[in-house]
Amino acid sequence: MTPLEIKGFRIYPAALNRAAQDRIIADVRDVLRQAPLFRPRTRRGPMSVRMSAAGEYGWISDTKGYRYEPNHPDGQPWPAIPGSIRALWDDLADSPRTPECCLINWYDEGARMGLHQDADEQDYDCPVLSVSLGAEALFRMGGTERRDPTVSHWLQSGDVVLLTGPSRRAFHGVDRLRPGPSPLFPEGGRLNLTLRVVT
Ligand code: MD3
Ligand code: FE
């Protein structure tokens, strides 16, 4: 599969067919039964995106700051990363490391994620792999400086994005969802999964 490359962001459109998306969603629902979505709070207030995670580490944020932790806020260890999701890393990431975190982001219709860099991982040379499921999202891609120009692209259900090289350090965000039902989520909303090496 040859990716669409925008500013070093490698986008694999429709990498997952409907059956593969259904398998992954069933596995994510299983994870969320054990590690329910929670709403991280930052110093700037509650996030509009709800989160959970699978793997050795999950990302949490509270009034003390944000960091990777081996346990859900409820005190339980995160469930294992489902094989259906880890398989995408083996196919596409071309990394000697194995992912230690599958971050799960749930977007309700009004949710967004402001422009940010992912900088809480110890090795920025390890790629990040992202999977979009459900409602389409307007994804904004910048450069390594916040002031750099940005380009926007609608991510669709089944698209996979590989962040490797300079794009791994680039600013990015999600401006908005396309509202309304999707085949995967008749009630609306979007799921984004990111596989990461954390340590
Ligand atoms: C570029 N998630 O979880 S996915 C995030 O759609 C995050 O939920 C967005 O930004 C979402 O941190 C965007 C694409 C993505 C994911 C991780 C990245 C782009 C990235 C890490 C580094 C650089
Ligand atoms: Fe990010």
Side-chain angles (χ1 to χ4, degrees):
M1 225 181 326
T2 46
L4 180 67
E5 189 141 345
I6 306 176
K7 291 164 76 79
F9 290 71
R10 278 195 209 157
I11 304 174
Y12 294 84
L16 304 173
N17 64 22
R18 178 63 195 269
Q21 295 177 51
D22 285 345
R23 173 75 263 159
I24 289 172
I25 287 186
D27 290 343
V28 170
R29 287 192 199 281
D30 232 38
V31 168
L32 294 178
R33 268 192 285 277
Q34 304 165 70
L37 291 167
F38 59 95
R39 189 179 301 284
R41 326 188 111 268
T42 69
R43 284 174 291 270
R44 316 176 65 165
M47 293 178 69
S48 58
V49 175
R50 286 186 294 153
M51 294 186 177
S52 185
E56 292 160 75
Y57 297 94
W59 187 86
I60 68 150
S61 178
D62 56 25
T63 46
K64 287 188 281 179
Y66 42 80
R67 62 207 174 268
Y68 283 96
E69 286 275 6
N71 296 316
H72 186 279
D74 72 7
Q76 293 280 113
W78 307 99
I81 299 175
S84 60
I85 303 169
R86 181 182 298 255
L88 302 173
W89 179 273
D90 299 337
D91 283 351
L92 298 172
D94 190 28
S95 169
R97 304 277 314 264
T98 55
E100 297 166 315
C101 171
C102 175
L103 194 63
I104 301 170
N105 293 332
W106 174 259
Y107 293 74
D108 289 315
E109 265 177 17
R112 56 185 300 282
M113 192 177 281
L115 202 66
H116 68 279
Q117 276 173 314
D118 286 37
D120 299 327
E121 302 78 21
Q122 284 169 21
D123 186 352
Y124 301 153
D125 291 329
C126 289
V128 171
L129 188 145
S130 146
V131 181
S132 292
L133 297 163
E136 292 173 25
L138 188 57
F139 179 48
R140 185 189 288 266
M141 295 166 276
T144 52
E145 307 289 332
R146 186 174 282 279
R147 62 174 182 274
D148 289 341
T150 64
V151 173
S152 293
H153 175 82
W154 283 97
L155 287 177
Q156 309 204 2
S157 193
D159 290 356
V160 170
V161 185
L162 184 66
L163 300 312
T164 185
S167 70
R168 173 66 183 80
R169 293 171 169 79
F171 279 84
H172 59 280
V174 173
D175 289 341
R176 61 191 165 90
L177 299 196
R178 210 187 281 289
S182 65
L184 294 184
F185 303 122
E187 61 290 358
R190 170 175 183 263
L191 197 58
N192 177 262
L193 311 174
T194 47
L195 288 172
R196 301 141 183 274
V197 175
V198 173
T199 63

